């Protein structure tokens, strides 16, 4: 089985959903830089405050901050049996830094799973996304409605739209993806690590395809 996985794709391609499925099925540690930054923002730490100023505009958090956070996390004991990186790396400098730090801690990346999805579908998915403020459960105004509008089915907490899930911020994020992140596909293809999947097939079919590939 392949472990130490990077999950790539534009915002809204379904990385978070697939990551949770793989984490449960393959007993991998799910490492989402987005979640780590949101936790820091919620806690009101200096790092969280700095990250919020970038995230709210749809901009990327500076590489040196993100790289340090990821290195610290990958070095922890629960990552020894395999991890799934979601949201990192986003730029070539981050990818190069990850290649070096993964050697330092003897946990090399074994495969890069890339999710393809067209922009029209990305905008539909993200602009309708809602999240529970209390437990973080995901919803969608069209495809995954709660039983009671604005209320989480799981814990009863209020649902909200993240600041970076509006259409204006999304356009900025997609511009960053095209300019900064998409070149990583060439980087990892040259290293023989890249495997791409069409995320429009639906979340269950996508999970089946990816999990079968990882278990080869």
């Amino acid at each position: 089985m392949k472990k130490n996985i990077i999950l790539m794709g534009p915002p809204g391609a379904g990385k978070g959903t697939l990551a949770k499925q793989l984490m449960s099925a393959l007993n991998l540690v799910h490492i989402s830089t987005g979640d780590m930054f949101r936790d820091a923002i919620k806690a009101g730490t200096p790092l969280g405050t700095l990250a919020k100023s970038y995230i709210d505009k749809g901009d990327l958090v500076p590489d040196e901050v993100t790289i340090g956070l990821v290195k610290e996390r990958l070095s922890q004991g629960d990552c020894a049996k395999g991890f799934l990186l979601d949201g990192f790396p986003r730029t070539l400098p981050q990818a190069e830094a990850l290649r070096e730090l993964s050697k330092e801690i003897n946990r090399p990346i074994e495969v890069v799973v890339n999710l393809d999805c067209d922009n029209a579908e990305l905008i539909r998915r993200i602009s309708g996304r809602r999240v529970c403020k209390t437990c973080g459960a995901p919803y969608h105004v069209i495809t995954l409605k709660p039983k009671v509008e604005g209320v989480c089915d799981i814990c009863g907490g209020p649902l909200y739209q993240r600041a970076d899930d509006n259409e204006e911020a999304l356009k900025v994020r997609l511009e960053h993806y095209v300019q900064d992140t998409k070149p990583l596909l060439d980087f990892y293809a040259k290293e023989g690590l890249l495997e791409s999947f069409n995320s429009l097939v639906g979340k269950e079919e996508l999970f089946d395809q990816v999990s079968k590939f990882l278990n080869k």
Side-chain angles (χ1 to χ4, degrees):
M1 186 188 86
K2 297 178 180 65
K3 58 180 185 177
N4 300 353
I5 303 159
I6 295 173
L7 186 57
M8 291 188 63
K15 298 187 298 296
T17 298
L18 178 61
K20 287 178 173 61
Q21 291 172 309
L22 294 174
M23 175 183 66
S24 176
L26 304 179
N27 196 30
L28 299 172
V29 176
H30 177 206
I31 300 174
S32 167
T33 53
D35 287 346
M36 283 192 283
F37 281 126
R38 279 188 286 273
D39 288 344
I41 290 169
K42 186 176 180 180
T45 66
L47 176 62
T49 301
L50 177 61
K52 187 175 188 301
S53 68
Y54 291 94
I55 293 170
D56 284 353
K57 294 183 292 186
D59 289 333
L60 300 179
V61 177
D63 283 351
E64 62 271 17
V65 177
T66 309
I67 291 166
L69 180 67
V70 171
K71 182 176 181 179
E72 183 178 83
R73 183 66 185 89
L74 293 185
S75 299
Q76 295 177 11
D78 61 347
C79 293
K81 293 183 179 180
F83 55 81
L84 183 63
L85 270 173
D86 172 12
F88 183 91
R90 293 178 185 264
T91 65
L92 283 173
Q94 288 182 359
E96 291 163 354
L98 177 61
R99 181 172 57 189
E100 296 309 310
L101 75 86
S102 65
K103 290 178 183 177
E104 289 178 22
I105 62 176
N106 196 28
R107 292 176 185 176
I109 301 300
E110 296 180 12
V111 66
V112 177
V113 172
N114 175 57
L115 304 185
D116 289 323
C117 190
D118 65 70
N119 281 6
E121 176 64 11
L122 295 176
I123 292 172
R124 185 193 72 80
R125 289 181 180 184
I126 293 185
S127 60
R129 190 161 61 182
R130 300 294 184 269
V131 181
C132 175
K133 277 190 174 180
T134 304
C135 72
Y139 294 88
H140 194 278
V141 297
I142 298 174
T143 60
L144 191 59
K145 297 179 180 180
K147 294 176 182 177
V148 178
E149 185 175 354
V151 179
C152 178
D153 294 345
I154 299 172
C155 71
L159 305 186
Y160 77 108
Q161 184 180 42
R162 290 174 181 159
D164 58 334
D165 277 352
N166 64 75
E167 189 167 344
E168 183 178 345
L170 173 59
K171 288 178 179 177
V172 176
R173 290 163 69 192
L174 288 175
E175 287 174 4
H176 278 303
Y177 176 74
V178 171
Q179 294 171 7
D180 301 327
T181 309
K182 219 168 182 182
L184 294 179
L185 301 182
D186 291 334
F187 177 87
Y188 285 117
K190 290 176 182 176
E191 298 214 335
L193 297 175
L194 185 68
E195 189 72 20
S196 292
F197 297 85
N198 180 5
S199 70
L200 293 178
V201 298
K203 63 181 183 179
E204 295 305 327
E205 176 63 22
L206 178 63
F207 168 69
D208 286 343
Q209 292 179 11
V210 175
S211 59
K212 285 177 183 176
F213 167 74
L214 295 175
N215 278 302
K216 285 182 180 178

